[in-house]
Amino acid sequence: MKPSPGADSTAHRIHVFALLVFATLGHTEPHLPPGTTALPSADQNGRGPLALVNLNHHVLGHARVFGGSQPDLFVAGFGGPQAVHLFRWIDTAENGAPVFAEPVEVNCPFKDKGSVFQRADGSIIGLWIDKDRIVTTEFDRKTKEFRETKRVKLPKAVKSPSSLGVLVNDVGYDLAFEMSNGGSGPAGSSWTEEWRPFNSSGISVGDLRYRYLLGLTAKGETKQITATKREVYFSMHGITGINLGPGHERDLITGSRQGNLVFYHNRAASGFDLEPKRLAAGEDGNALRHPSINPSVAAYPGGVIACGEGSLYFYRFIEKWTPAGAPMFAQPVSVLQENADLYAGTLPSPTTLDWNGDGVLDILAGNSEGFVLFFENIGSNDAPRFLPATRVQAGGRQIQVQAGYAGSLQGLQEARWGYLSPNFIDWNGDTLPDMITGDITGNYMVYLNRGTKKEPRLDPAHPIYCDGIDLHGMWRCRPALAVIEGRPAMMIVDGEDHFHLYRHIDDYNVEDGGKLLLNDGKPIASSGGPGGMSGRCKPDFFDWDQDGALDLVIGTNRVNCIPDRDNGYPMAALGRNPLIRGKVGQFLDAALPPKVKKTLGTPLLMLNTGTNSKMRFSRPIVFSDEAGKVIQPGGAHETGAVGTMLGSNGPNLLICNEAGRMFLIPRSKLHWE
């Protein structure tokens, strides 16, 4: 209804698969009410972390395009609209991070497998891998485009390279190519009951895929330039030539799937003579590990910019070396952009509460990187203004939850994802908000708040138990929390894929409160299928229609089927979803037509037609705009959504897209029926 006036792989992650599906078969475009914009940074000049509207980023290189004292940046985005953007350098922050202007899209025939650099004569060159060719382009400053100037066939030894790095020499440049040594992950599809990424001993199955470097010199000589073919697990995600001072003018650094920055000292003034790999280190001498998965690297004056899933980070070279000969860098700081959107990391799951006791609602959000972020509201509830995020701590350390070796049902290759979904409630009755989380593992943890209203201080994570067993449900789900009949309670998606209530006993224990039911007495299911199609649900208790009974506002993945797989939302009701069976386009249900509509994560509403003590829920309904178009903020993997009193004339809807943007949509712009 409309509110009345005045009413309140198989071894790759499903990310990769979804992108293949969208590119191959087409997909539903995101939709928000007309005029809706992402929440902006309220910091000085709107500064905030630099991040395109993509899941992943790759810095192609830098050049002085606009004549500033520091070079400008070329960045490609993946997982979303693929394009190459140019960022103009405008400042350096106090912590040493470069600051850039808003991005300008440049015309480029390539979006991937490239490297951009500037010659001594000032010309800006882009080199690109196009199947079995290396393509040279030159950047036109006036028209902001890369124009092809040459195309050369690669030697046969350079077969299917994944990325390239450039080292300039006196006669041209030498190229380093990222090569695969073969190998494959577990057999089968992670979207089936038969999927087994670990054997009965708990060991990951399938080959561990590795990468190495092959060199192509300016003289046309081709050879393996790394000591082994097992240099970096899974992928390097890019190579950069870097000048680290006298004797280190032509070194190389690569990224890696797991976040290490891998360093190679090159002793050759021309061509390659690489020493064995070393891991770039922090100021304590220990190997660095990038905050998120899949970082690629690009040299930048004074250090390195690294980025993968998430925003861009700057590592400042401190001009020191470990005893083993590895370069040492300061801890990474966010590369900044002016007039930026607030950035919550990828696949954010938000909630709103007064975290610092100043009387206004703030935003806290978890994300796929495994962090919990605090966005301080320096405005009011009716007219909120938020500062860029700071990371929430527990036990004196930044919270970061990740799968590790065996924490993801999709296998070892997901070790660096966390999918942390926090929610808050006064769990132990001391009037302070405590945090309860779900994550990639399917476990539920409580972080008790031992601070004050103005200065929260969380204990380290502690498991929640039911009948002495760790409370465990479907992966990547958010717990819904509420005080029901004077007693804290939490609702999760249980092991039978049903919405299930548990009631507080003490700080760390709950008792079974039974499954939540539909009006017809049936349980409420959430998943679109087994394995990787399960879970991913973000429910929240919230009295949307202001009748005193707690409703459910639910963020979803596109494969969720709430409350059942036959007619549930969003997948069955709004589209159908393909299954990985060796090729894109072989479908879960063979009876489905081969050409079917795809859909995206979709915020849902389930109204409570009963009472808080005896809940009964209507079937899900979608939110739509005045034209009747379904609200879908963008993204296949997960979409966070909560009801909130932020904004005037609430309740209103706070939703996220998977690329890290948050949108506060007024109730007056929404329809539901």
Side-chain angles (χ1 to χ4, degrees):
M1 69 175 183
K2 183 176 181 179
S4 58
D8 281 339
S9 92
T10 61
H12 282 277
R13 181 185 187 210
I14 297 304
H15 271 182
V16 178
F17 170 65
L19 296 179
L20 288 171
V21 172
F22 293 170
T24 306
L25 302 177
H27 66 97
T28 302
E29 292 294 333
H31 178 73
L32 296 168
T36 302
T37 57
L39 292 175
S41 166
D43 206 356
Q44 183 179 7
N45 297 320
R47 288 187 180 182
L50 187 155
L52 294 168
V53 289
N54 302 88
L55 289 176
N56 299 276
H57 302 91
H58 176 60
V59 178
L60 296 165
H62 64 263
R64 283 181 167 82
V65 179
F66 299 103
S69 60
Q70 294 295 328
D72 312 300
L73 209 60
F74 289 91
V75 183
F78 308 95
Q82 285 190 256
V84 174
H85 289 84
L86 172 62
F87 290 83
R88 178 173 59 87
W89 177 87
I90 54 177
D91 195 9
T92 299
E94 290 183 6
N95 63 3
V99 184
F100 296 91
E102 296 173 73
V104 174
E105 186 173 342
V106 301
N107 187 9
C108 182
F110 304 97
K111 307 297 185 290
D112 194 5
K113 297 185 177 182
S115 183
V116 174
F117 62 98
Q118 192 161 22
R119 288 174 170 158
D121 63 6
S123 60
I124 300 168
I125 304 300
L127 293 181
W128 314 89
I129 301 167
D130 185 15
K131 298 179 181 178
D132 62 347
R133 300 290 195 275
I134 189 78
V135 181
T136 303
T137 61
E138 186 166 352
F139 184 70
D140 187 316
R141 288 175 169 85
K142 291 183 179 180
T143 61
K144 301 294 186 295
E145 64 180 325
F146 283 96
R147 293 176 177 169
E148 183 174 332
T149 59
K150 186 169 60 174
R151 181 177 290 255
V152 178
K153 189 171 184 178
L154 287 166
K156 288 184 179 180
V158 188
K159 186 177 180 180
S160 301
S162 297
S163 62
L164 81 161
V166 181
L167 284 179
V168 177
N169 58 36
D170 292 339
V171 297
Y173 44 79
D174 306 304
L175 299 180
F177 293 96
E178 176 189 352
M179 308 296 294
S180 172
N181 76 346
S184 61
S189 165
S190 62
W191 286 13
T192 64
E193 290 287 3
E194 295 75 28
W195 172 251
R196 295 294 182 271
F198 303 96
N199 66 21
S200 61
S201 298
I203 303 302
S204 178
V205 299
D207 300 325
L208 293 180
R209 292 173 287 182
Y210 281 84
R211 301 299 175 108
Y212 66 99
L213 293 178
L214 195 70
L216 174 61
T217 69
K219 297 178 180 179
E221 299 169 343
T222 304
K223 67 174 182 178
Q224 179 181 322
I225 57 176
T226 50
T228 75
K229 288 189 175 182
R230 290 174 58 88
E231 294 290 306
V232 173
Y233 168 64
F234 205 90
S235 182
M236 291 176 173
H237 294 281
I239 310 159
T240 189
I242 189 167
N243 181 350
L244 293 176
H248 290 275
E249 294 88 350
R250 303 183 76 249
D251 292 339
L252 292 172
I253 294 180
T254 81
S256 70
R257 172 80 166 194
Q258 299 304 98
N260 295 127
L261 306 185
V262 183
F263 168 75
Y264 296 92
H265 173 46
N266 184 16
R267 294 170 291 207
S270 180
F272 300 97
D273 182 13
L274 301 188
E275 291 183 353
K277 73 176 182 183
R278 300 176 176 93
L279 300 182
E283 293 175 279
D284 60 2
N286 294 311
L288 290 163
R289 209 166 190 233
H290 192 69
S292 61
I293 197 168
N294 292 341
S296 64
V297 290
Y300 194 80
V304 170
I305 292 176
C307 56
E309 182 160 333
S311 58
L312 278 62
Y313 292 85
F314 177 67
Y315 291 80
R316 179 176 57 84
F317 178 49
I318 63 172
E319 301 183 21
K320 293 182 180 180
W321 302 80
T322 68
M328 298 171 67
F329 295 84
Q331 287 299 306
V333 294
S334 290
V335 175
L336 299 176
Q337 176 196 317
E338 291 199 341
N339 300 316
D341 298 330
L342 289 177
Y343 183 69
T346 53
L347 281 61
S349 179
T351 193
T352 61
L353 71 155
D354 181 5
W355 184 239
N356 57 359
D358 62 359
V360 295
L361 295 172
D362 309 298
I363 297 175
L364 286 100
N367 58 32
S368 69
E369 299 154 82
F371 294 115
V372 179
L373 304 181
F374 165 50
F375 297 87
E376 182 181 2
N377 184 357
I378 59 173
S380 64
N381 285 337
D382 284 350
R385 298 172 60 240
F386 297 98
L387 294 176
T390 58
R391 293 177 186 161
V392 176
Q393 296 189 345
R397 299 172 64 107
Q398 287 181 359
I399 296 167
Q400 188 175 26
V401 175
Q402 296 191 325
Y405 183 90
S408 171
L409 61 83
Q410 291 190 158
L412 171 62
Q413 74 279 358
E414 298 210 340
R416 290 300 311 277
W417 275 297
Y419 304 117
L420 193 59
S421 296
N423 205 344
F424 295 81
I425 192 173
D426 178 9
W427 186 248
N428 60 356
D430 64 358
T431 74
L432 300 177
D434 307 299
M435 183 171 73
I436 297 178
T437 62
D439 58 47
I440 190 171
T441 67
N443 295 321
Y444 288 87
M445 312 294 284
V446 61
Y447 298 73
L448 294 176
N449 187 349
R450 306 297 190 183
T452 65
K453 288 186 180 296
K454 292 186 177 294
E455 296 183 358
R457 179 172 53 85
L458 296 180
D459 271 356
H462 193 290
I464 295 176
Y465 307 113
C466 182
D467 297 330
I469 304 170
D470 295 53
L471 189 63
H472 185 90
M474 294 295 180
W475 76 326
R476 296 167 63 167
C477 289
R478 179 181 191 267
L481 305 176
V483 176
I484 298 174
E485 296 183 305
R487 188 178 177 188
M490 60 184 294
M491 187 271 282
I492 71 170
V493 181
D494 68 18
E496 294 182 300
D497 193 38
H498 294 149
F499 286 9
H500 200 133
L501 194 70
Y502 294 88
R503 300 182 186 277
H504 175 276
I505 295 176
D506 59 32
D507 290 353
Y508 309 124
N509 292 272
V510 294
E511 65 181 7
D512 193 338
K515 297 178 187 288
L516 297 188
L517 303 176
L518 294 168
N519 288 333
D520 60 9
K522 294 180 180 178
I524 304 166
S526 73
S527 298
M533 298 180 75
S534 64
R536 304 166 179 255
C537 183
K538 313 294 183 185
D540 189 51
F541 283 126
F542 186 81
D543 183 6
W544 179 259
D545 56 9
Q546 298 291 281
D547 65 354
L550 292 168
D551 308 307
L552 286 170
V553 175
I554 308 170
T556 70
N557 165 267
R558 73 182 179 108
V559 301
N560 284 136
C561 270
I562 305 171
D564 56 64
R565 294 185 189 177
D566 292 330
N567 301 292
Y569 283 87
M571 186 173 76
L574 301 179
R576 293 290 183 180
N577 207 70
L579 175 69
I580 306 173
R581 284 186 187 152
K583 295 180 180 178
V584 173
Q586 294 178 325
F587 292 90
L588 176 63
D589 185 346
L592 293 177
K595 293 182 179 180
V596 291
K597 180 182 178 182
K598 305 298 176 291
T599 192
L600 299 175
T602 309
L604 304 176
L605 173 64
M606 295 185 74
L607 294 171
N608 182 359
T609 59
T611 64
N612 289 339
S613 60
K614 191 174 181 179
M615 294 179 172
R616 286 291 187 273
F617 290 93
S618 60
R619 293 182 68 86
I621 49 180
V622 298
F623 294 96
S624 60
D625 64 12
E626 292 183 350
K629 194 166 183 180
V630 175
I631 302 301
Q632 294 181 316
H637 304 98
E638 289 163 24
T639 302
V642 292
T644 181
M645 299 308 292
L646 276 175
S648 60
N649 300 316
N652 300 308
L653 187 66
L654 177 66
I655 57 177
C656 300
N657 66 18
E658 66 178 24
R661 269 56 179 191
M662 297 183 287
F663 306 89
L664 183 60
I665 304 179
R667 185 183 182 90
S668 60
K669 289 188 175 183
L670 296 170
H671 292 243
W672 58 95
E673 56 185 31

